[in-house]
Amino acid sequence: TTVTTPAQDVEVTATYKSTPSPGPSPVNGRCGSADGGTFTSAPSSGLCSRGDSSSVSGSGPWTWTCSGSDGGSDASCSADIQSYTVSASAGEGGSISPSSREVDHGSSTTFSVTADEGYEIDSVSGCAGSLSGSTYTTGSITAACTVTASFLALEDLYTLTVNNGSGDGEFEAGQEVSIAADAAPEGQEFDQWTGDTGAVADIASPNTFVTMPEADVSVTAAYKDAEPETYVLSVTRGSGSGEYET
């Protein structure tokens, strides 16, 4: 500055004051290399490249934050769980659904198995699973795998009807089926099997078997009057000896 000198002596003094030192600049948190990654378990390293990490939360996907300092903002970070494709394949005679699933590491999944008309489920295998009814449940999935279902064609079944006896049912052609006549009514005895006797092994036996043809079979146990019991009469020194009914 300048001083205008008056008609007298002048004395001036310079005075000073203290100024505050500048503070630290805000530092924002920054996610580390684990951010955006894919893992089979919660990440524990590479969480933050700047700032302190919070605890990792979730069971896949996972989230955490990297803290800012001196007024800086926190960074939000996340990572995904590894998943695998579980495919499904069905042979002739049925289907399995869905055709595939995306399954997280360590989890299991289910498929529905359906046999076509005239077929039955033979086996279902793959991915360390098990079949219950028509539902197949995999084991814990740790890699891509395939579930395979196979089916069996059902044999045609034919009906055997046994009247006055036992052995009814549905059977495949060529199957040997035991049949038995009921006990005869009082005063009667078994006579023979009647009906479709071409399939009967012994029509004169009350206990025999039927070899099923490619057709339904109906047989009936028939009865006849029982022969009367006779007894021998022996007459010594006289006449009248013979066999007589009671």
Side-chain angles (χ1 to χ4, degrees):
T1 185
T2 59
V3 175
T4 300
T5 304
Q8 64 184 45
D9 294 335
V10 175
E11 180 179 351
V12 295
T13 302
T15 60
Y16 302 89
K17 65 179 180 178
S18 61
T19 58
S21 301
S25 300
V27 178
N28 297 330
R30 181 184 297 169
C31 299
S33 59
D35 181 50
T38 301
F39 303 91
T40 59
S41 60
S44 58
S45 61
L47 300 178
C48 298
S49 63
R50 182 185 298 156
D52 296 328
S53 68
S54 66
S55 59
V56 177
S57 61
S59 56
W62 300 279
T63 59
W64 67 95
T65 58
C66 296
S67 63
S69 59
D70 298 319
S73 60
D74 295 343
S76 298
C77 317
S78 64
D80 291 325
I81 189 169
Q82 177 70 54
S83 64
Y84 309 97
T85 300
V86 179
S87 304
S89 173
E92 180 182 357
S95 61
I96 183 170
S97 62
S99 59
S100 66
R101 289 189 188 276
E102 287 297 314
V103 183
D104 289 344
H105 179 89
S107 297
S108 62
T109 190
T110 60
F111 291 87
S112 179
V113 185
T114 305
D116 293 340
E117 184 176 356
Y119 288 82
E120 63 182 354
I121 298 172
D122 180 21
S123 66
V124 187
S125 60
C127 305
S130 60
L131 180 67
S132 176
S134 61
T135 300
Y136 188 79
T137 304
T138 69
S140 176
I141 301 301
T142 57
C145 58
T146 300
V147 174
T148 302
S150 61
F151 305 87
L152 279 177
L154 294 172
E155 295 288 343
D156 290 332
L157 298 179
Y158 301 95
T159 301
L160 171 61
T161 302
V162 181
N163 300 304
N164 300 334
S166 59
D168 301 69
E170 292 188 336
F171 306 96
E172 298 175 8
Q175 188 171 350
E176 292 185 352
V177 183
S178 296
I179 60 174
D182 291 340
E186 185 176 356
Q188 292 186 314
E189 62 184 5
F190 176 80
D191 183 18
Q192 63 180 357
W193 292 99
T194 62
D196 301 320
T197 55
V200 180
D202 184 357
I203 65 170
S205 173
N207 297 287
T208 184
F209 65 87
V210 172
T211 301
M212 290 297 295
E214 293 182 353
D216 294 340
V217 173
S218 177
V219 294
T220 300
Y223 304 91
K224 63 182 179 179
D225 290 338
E227 293 291 336
E229 293 186 17
T230 59
Y231 300 90
V232 176
L233 172 62
S234 299
V235 180
T236 304
R237 296 178 183 176
S239 60
S241 296
E243 293 187 358
Y244 300 94
E245 299 176 10
T246 57

